């Protein structure tokens, strides 16, 4: 299922209502990602008749950002989750190019960067996260790029054609962009802070498999290293100096070194955040402040499948689940979150699917083989399967996810 199907493009819209002029109540959704879109849709599906305002600093209607690293010459229109007519039909106001500066939770108002102020009755904070910038001399040179918008994706695509492309960071963005540029850039070099890609996510074994697969296609890796300096000529990037002393020639430098939650504007509002500035919510997506909810990348939420430990999961499907639960609880339905993190990544046109929460796993049980590009990896911790990843092994990952969602335990013995 792709994202657009998951959101239920036009054909799969459940019956939805619109605005009832007699209802004097406003739900404000800060952020233009899928958490806000789903929240708005569920409110209208459940016959909420008040005013819905969705506010985003983007200049584009809510769109699918996960595709930016997979299809980089994309036209921004093709990424839209819903067309303009959809929002008009169901009376969902979308305010573009507008950013929240502060929240007064006592007066229930939000102040925006343009000096305007708006009142809400219930608020969803879903402003997501942004790419972390490179903190090295020379980071301001031209063609030092980051991937956040369709314009960025187009810029990286165009700049990398026939060019020496260097990527800093071995997370999803770095690996997917490398994969995409294989037959486009003249050379691709990847610089990683850790020993292998994906160490904190897909883990050591799939990290090694990904690295080997890309190396076989000519990608060069410098691991356990980092950027000391970026050197340029006439204002354009020309070489990247690593901490190890290695110098890598570069026409384009793509930075994909992690994310920062967009939560600065929340400080001073009384809304509780953790030490990393993620907003703390309960299983109903409620913050510690009445009528304020939070969803998506910037939440720290209790994950049922790991006994309600708080986690932050910056993935599409999780944000959708959050948006839905927030909407239902705004309407007083008392529906708790029970979601299993699920995501996928693309490697040379092949899709690796992942479900669960494998952080801290101690053993990997492998069915199939990496060499045949057909495998199911089961991640084991405390003698239980905590996650699964698969390539060309469907519907195994979905089946494991369903068992997690049902609260069933898959033992190490069963996995083996």
């Amino acid at each position: 299922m792709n994202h657009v199907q998951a959101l239920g493009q036009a054909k799969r819209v459940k019956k939805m209502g619109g605005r009832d002029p007699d209802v004097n109540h406003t739900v404000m959704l800060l952020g233009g990602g899928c958490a806000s879109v789903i929240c708005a849709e569920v409110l209208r599906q459940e016959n909420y008749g008040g005013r819905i305002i969705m506010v985003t600093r983007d200049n584009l209607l809510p769109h699918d950002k996960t595709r930016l690293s997979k299809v980089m010459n994309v036209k921004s229109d093709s990424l839209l989750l819903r067309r303009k007519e959809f929002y008009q039909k169901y009376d969902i106001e979308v305010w573009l190019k507008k950013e929240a500066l502060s929240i007064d939770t006592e007066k229930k108002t939000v102040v925006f960067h343009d000096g305007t102020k708006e009142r809400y009755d219930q608020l969803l904070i879903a402003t997501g996260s942004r790419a972390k910038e490179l903190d090295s001399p020379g980071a301001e040179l031209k063609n030092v790029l980051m991937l956040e918008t369709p314009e960025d994706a187009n810029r990286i695509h165009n700049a990398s054609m026939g060019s020496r492309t260097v990527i800093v960071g071995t997370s999803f963005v770095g690996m997917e962009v490398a994969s995409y540029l294989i037959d486009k850039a003249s050379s691709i070099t990847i610089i990683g802070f850790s020993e292998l890609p994906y160490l904190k996510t897909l883990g050591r074994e799939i990290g090694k498999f990904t690295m080997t697969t890309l190396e076989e296609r000519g990608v060069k890796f410098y691991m356990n290293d980092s950027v000391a300096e970026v050197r340029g000529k006439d204002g354009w990037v020309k070489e990247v100096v690593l901490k190890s002393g290695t110098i890598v020639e570069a026409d384009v430098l793509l930075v994909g070194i992690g994310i920062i939650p967009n939560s600065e504007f929340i400080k001073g509002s009384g809304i509780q955040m953790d030490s990393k500035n993620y907003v703390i919510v309960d299983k109903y997506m409620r913050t510690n402040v009445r009528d304020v909810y939070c969803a998506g990348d910037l939440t720290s939420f209790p994950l049922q499948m790991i006994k309600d430990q708080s986690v932050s999961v910056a993935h599409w499907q999780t944000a959708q689940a959050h948006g839905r639960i927030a909407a239902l609880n705004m309407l007083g339905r008392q529906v708790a979150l029970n979601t299993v993190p699920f995501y996928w990544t693309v490697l040379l046109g092949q899709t690796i699917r992942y479900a669960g929460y494998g952080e801290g796993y101690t053993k990997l049980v492998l069915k199939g083989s990496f060499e045949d590009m057909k495998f199911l990896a089961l991640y084991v911790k405390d003698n239980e399967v905590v996650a699964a990843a698969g390539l060309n092994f469907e519907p195994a990952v979905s089946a494991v996810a369903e068992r997690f969602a049902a609260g069933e335990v898959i033992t190490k013995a069963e996995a083996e």
Side-chain angles (χ1 to χ4, degrees):
M1 185 190 288
N2 67 28
H3 320 309
V4 172
Q5 284 171 325
L7 259 165
Q9 265 297 34
K11 294 190 199 80
R12 289 189 32 204
V13 176
K14 269 196 199 166
K15 192 167 179 310
M16 287 169 67
R19 176 93 199 266
D20 177 347
D22 295 334
V23 178
N24 184 21
H25 188 278
T26 301
V27 171
M28 189 186 295
L29 313 170
L30 297 180
C34 66
S36 287
V37 175
I38 290 283
C39 186
E41 291 192 15
V42 172
L43 287 170
R44 288 290 187 238
Q45 285 165 4
E46 300 293 326
N47 297 317
Y48 169 71
R51 186 180 181 195
I52 300 177
I53 309 170
M54 192 187 303
V55 188
T56 172
R57 65 178 183 187
D58 293 335
N59 57 5
L60 185 64
L61 285 171
H63 55 286
D64 181 357
K65 291 190 173 173
T66 65
R67 275 178 57 209
L68 294 178
S69 53
K70 299 174 178 78
V71 191
M72 303 191 75
N73 57 346
V74 68
K75 299 249 185 309
S76 53
D77 270 10
S78 71
L79 295 171
L80 295 183
L81 300 176
R82 296 290 192 199
R83 308 229 158 264
K84 190 170 78 188
E85 296 74 23
F86 176 88
Y87 300 105
Q88 288 167 342
K89 182 175 179 184
Y90 298 111
D91 297 314
I92 298 163
E93 296 172 49
V94 184
W95 296 356
L96 301 176
K97 297 191 233 175
K98 210 167 168 84
E99 191 170 353
L101 274 190
S102 64
I103 303 170
D104 184 329
T105 52
E106 284 183 14
K107 291 184 178 152
K108 291 193 163 183
T109 54
V110 178
V111 173
F112 297 96
H113 75 294
D114 57 6
T116 57
K117 186 190 282 190
E118 190 67 39
R119 211 190 154 280
Y120 65 83
D121 293 288
Q122 289 174 310
L123 181 70
L124 178 73
I125 301 171
T127 45
S129 52
R130 63 184 183 277
K132 209 182 267 183
E133 292 184 16
L134 189 64
D135 184 19
S136 310
E140 72 295 331
L141 287 163
K142 287 180 194 151
N143 270 4
V144 175
L145 304 172
M146 299 202 311
L147 178 58
E148 297 198 282
T149 66
E151 291 78 19
D152 293 338
N154 293 174
R155 205 171 288 131
I156 293 162
H157 170 92
N158 295 331
S160 298
M161 296 301 267
S163 300
R164 297 166 299 183
T165 300
V166 177
I167 297 169
V168 194
T170 54
S171 66
F172 296 100
V173 167
M175 297 293 97
E176 289 183 354
V177 170
S179 205
Y180 173 80
L181 292 175
I182 284 250
D183 52 357
K184 300 174 182 72
S186 65
S187 68
I188 299 172
T189 305
I190 294 175
I191 300 153
F193 306 129
S194 52
E195 177 196 347
L196 291 164
Y198 293 145
L199 269 189
K200 284 186 173 159
T201 47
L202 291 165
R204 170 175 295 278
E205 297 84 355
I206 292 180
K208 181 86 182 95
F209 160 69
T210 301
M211 189 166 158
T212 306
T213 305
L214 290 174
E215 280 176 334
E216 284 167 1
R217 297 294 301 271
V219 176
K220 180 119 183 67
F221 282 84
Y222 291 99
M223 300 303 285
N224 289 323
D225 215 335
S226 59
V227 176
E229 183 191 352
V230 186
R231 290 182 186 157
K233 190 181 175 193
D234 304 327
W236 294 82
V237 60
K238 272 292 162 259
E239 52 188 32
V240 182
V241 184
L242 306 187
K243 290 261 162 72
S244 60
T246 304
I247 295 176
V248 184
E249 293 186 331
D251 303 306
V252 182
L253 176 61
L254 172 69
V255 180
I257 53 174
I259 56 173
I260 305 166
N262 291 321
S263 57
E264 287 82 357
F265 71 98
I266 299 167
K267 286 176 183 156
S269 66
I271 297 165
Q272 205 177 343
M273 294 194 273
D274 68 10
S275 59
K276 293 179 178 169
N277 295 322
Y278 287 84
V279 177
I280 298 165
V281 295
D282 64 11
K283 60 186 174 184
Y284 304 105
M285 307 319 294
R286 300 179 301 203
T287 67
N288 62 311
V289 175
R290 188 182 164 85
D291 290 326
V292 178
Y293 298 76
C294 188
D297 287 14
L298 84 164
T299 55
S300 171
F301 68 96
L303 184 61
Q304 191 166 313
M305 65 169 285
I306 54 168
K307 302 177 178 63
D308 288 336
Q309 284 175 54
S310 281
V311 298
S312 292
V313 176
H315 287 296
W316 184 265
Q317 167 272 348
T318 306
Q320 284 188 307
H322 286 180
R324 179 176 165 272
I325 295 298
L328 293 172
N329 288 299
M330 284 176 172
L331 300 172
R333 300 286 160 83
Q334 286 286 304
V335 179
L337 180 74
N338 176 23
T339 189
V340 174
F342 179 90
Y343 61 82
W344 60 94
T345 186
V346 172
L347 175 65
L348 301 181
Q350 304 267 352
T351 301
I352 299 174
R353 291 179 174 80
Y354 178 97
Y357 192 79
E359 206 166 284
Y361 74 98
T362 50
K363 183 176 171 38
L364 191 91
V365 176
L366 190 71
K367 315 276 181 196
S369 78
F370 291 138
E371 295 74 38
D372 298 335
M373 296 290 272
K374 182 173 178 160
F375 64 82
L376 174 67
L378 297 166
Y379 299 74
V380 177
K381 182 181 177 182
D382 301 332
N383 287 320
E384 282 181 24
V385 174
V386 289
L391 175 66
N392 294 321
F393 220 92
E394 277 307 299
V397 174
S398 309
V400 171
E402 279 167 20
R403 289 188 60 181
F404 287 154
E408 291 179 28
V409 171
I410 304 171
T411 62
K412 179 181 164 205
E414 186 190 339
E416 288 170 337

